[in-house]
Amino acid sequence: MSLRFIDLRSDTATRPTPEMREAMSRAEVGDDSSGEDPTVNALLEKVTDIFEKEAALFVPSGTQANQIAIKVYTQPGEEVIADVGCHPYRSELGAAALISGIQFSFVPALRGVYSRKEAEQALHPVSERSPRTAIIWVENTHNAGGGQVFPIEKLKELRALSLEQGIPLHIDGARIFNAFVASGVPPNQWAKECDSLNFCLSKGLGCPVGSILIGERDFIREARRRRKMLGGGWRQAGILAAAGLHALDNHISRLEEDHQNAQRFSELVSGIPGVRHVHETTPTNIVYLDVSETGQTASSINQRLQKNGVALSVPGETTLRAVTHIDISSQEIDRGAKALAEAVA
Ligand SMILES: Cc1ncc(COP(=O)(O)O)c(C=O)c1O
């Protein structure tokens, strides 16, 4: 029997389980572009209950959710306060500049975490010279920050600033359920500390497609218009929403396993000569490794790994990333770590 390929490139690599496929095949559908898909509507109702926010919108991707949020809150020439590692700046092809005409104002941050004081220093008072600050942006958990959870106390401080200044606070919570499972802070608490938030169904929750944008009714009304403008006004999306409903019922608490697997992987690879951890800890499901001391490039190591049935992603010339998810067992973590040791040697 051939062994399964161990795909640690991303938690987007997950495939729907047989039970999820079964739920998808039974979904009742309608035209979601007109708000008439009953399964999408059931998903949105469930999400608004979980997060205790007024309204939600089902969109094809995390990137689209981020871009819609930026578009709704900003006018061209305005600024978004964020850390330099945030997804819309780093990995969305400059879409925020193209679609919304905004610029980012970066705050110094460690693994994506910054304080109220740092945000205050990046804020621009309304004046004849400065661009207006239109959003305070938080990523939780932080992808480039090695799955770091944004501490709720720090978020509360940012929230106070956002309310005092009248600047909306948005959370890119692509992995907010990982943050919940790792910290114990429930989804409604994260949602209470922001105006709006998005999360991905298609990452650790194991769905094939889909993200959700959540906020107040007026925000979501405008977001729905922007979704249409960006080509996201999909039709019988209930088949995908059924996967989302299944995931919210069955795949949240199991994220703990992914975190344990990432921790195990971190420990197993830390003895490999020349391989160093980029971050000191592994709070959730993402591990970045610096291989510069091996004298090899990350892509050459990864090519050898792939010949042994394991793939990591290569975010930098000498950086590898492993992300654990529902399709990776603890035995596969052991195999993956062993394959990495062999590929480096
Ligand atoms: C933090 C974060 N935000 C947004 C996205 C974008 O999600 P998608 O790949 O669905 O566009 C990602 C994807 O990795 C992410 O890590």
Side-chain angles (χ1 to χ4, degrees):
M1 197 186 75
S2 64
L3 291 168
R4 198 164 65 148
F5 189 78
I6 302 174
D7 195 343
L8 288 162
R9 285 174 298 177
S10 172
D11 44 10
T12 55
T14 58
R15 284 151 207 256
T17 60
E19 295 78 15
M20 184 179 275
R21 283 176 187 264
E22 162 60 20
M24 293 169 78
S25 74
R26 278 187 281 107
E28 273 185 56
V29 295
D31 183 353
D32 181 49
S33 199
S34 314
E36 290 169 5
D37 187 300
T39 312
V40 170
N41 292 340
L43 173 65
L44 299 179
E45 205 177 310
K46 187 172 186 80
V47 165
T48 49
D49 280 354
I50 293 174
F51 286 87
E52 294 178 6
K53 280 278 199 231
E54 281 178 8
L57 183 68
F58 189 31
V59 298
S61 68
T63 298
Q64 192 178 96
N66 281 345
Q67 293 305 324
I68 290 173
I70 293 170
K71 186 73 186 158
V72 172
Y73 286 133
T74 63
Q75 295 297 319
E78 294 184 339
E79 264 185 4
V80 175
I81 289 192
D83 80 286
V84 73
C86 74
H87 200 274
Y89 176 66
R90 208 173 45 91
S91 304
E92 298 181 13
L93 295 155
L98 181 71
I99 296 168
S100 300
I102 60 98
Q103 61 188 20
F104 287 94
S105 173
F106 293 120
V107 279
L110 187 62
R111 304 183 73 175
V113 177
Y114 57 94
S115 65
R116 173 188 168 125
K117 190 150 177 254
E118 284 154 345
E120 262 169 342
Q121 281 163 0
L123 272 181
H124 282 132
V126 176
S127 78
E128 283 184 13
R129 287 164 185 254
S130 315
R132 194 179 74 91
T133 304
I135 312 179
I136 299 175
W137 191 271
V138 164
E139 187 170 308
N140 186 25
T141 66
H142 201 281
N143 183 341
Q148 178 69 21
V149 179
F150 205 97
I152 188 77
E153 293 313 322
K154 280 217 150 63
L155 184 65
K156 285 182 178 169
E157 290 172 14
L158 286 185
R159 182 61 176 152
L161 177 68
S162 111
L163 290 171
E164 282 162 29
Q165 300 282 335
I167 301 169
L169 194 160
H170 180 83
I171 300 179
D172 174 358
R175 298 182 179 82
I176 198 74
F177 287 99
N178 295 85
F180 160 45
V181 168
S183 66
V185 176
N188 62 343
Q189 291 295 311
W190 295 113
K192 190 165 162 253
E193 305 304 335
C194 65
D195 291 277
S196 53
L197 169 149
N198 56 280
F199 75 88
C200 290
L201 290 162
S202 63
K203 296 196 166 67
L205 294 179
C207 297
V209 180
S211 284
I212 306 266
L213 186 58
I214 310 163
E216 302 307 315
R217 211 160 275 120
D218 287 350
F219 169 80
I220 292 296
R221 191 176 300 121
E222 187 57 20
R224 182 172 270 281
R225 281 168 36 79
R226 296 306 183 180
R227 180 184 72 164
K228 182 81 172 168
M229 187 192 94
L230 294 172
W234 50 13
R235 305 295 178 176
Q236 287 71 29
I239 295 175
L240 300 170
L245 282 164
H246 179 84
L248 292 174
D249 284 339
N250 298 285
H251 291 178
I252 295 176
S253 58
R254 65 145 310 284
L255 291 170
E256 179 59 34
E257 250 176 75
D258 299 346
H259 299 176
Q260 284 166 4
N261 280 339
Q263 183 61 40
R264 182 174 176 84
F265 185 77
S266 286
E267 286 163 16
L268 289 171
V269 300
S270 55
I272 302 175
V275 174
R276 280 193 307 108
H277 282 282
V278 172
H279 304 108
E280 275 180 13
T281 56
T282 305
T284 54
N285 67 330
I286 304 178
V287 181
Y288 281 83
L289 300 170
D290 178 342
V291 295
S292 50
E293 286 172 16
T294 65
Q296 305 172 58
T297 62
S299 60
S300 67
I301 293 172
N302 208 34
Q303 274 166 19
R304 282 197 296 284
L305 261 179
Q306 295 204 11
K307 287 194 185 124
N308 280 331
V310 180
L312 306 189
S313 65
V314 182
E317 190 156 347
T318 54
T319 312
L320 287 167
R321 187 190 73 167
V323 185
T324 57
H325 52 78
I326 189 169
D327 288 343
I328 301 290
S329 67
S330 63
Q331 290 86 340
E332 287 169 327
I333 285 294
D334 294 3
R335 258 182 62 213
K338 189 158 168 275
L340 180 61
E342 286 165 7
V344 168

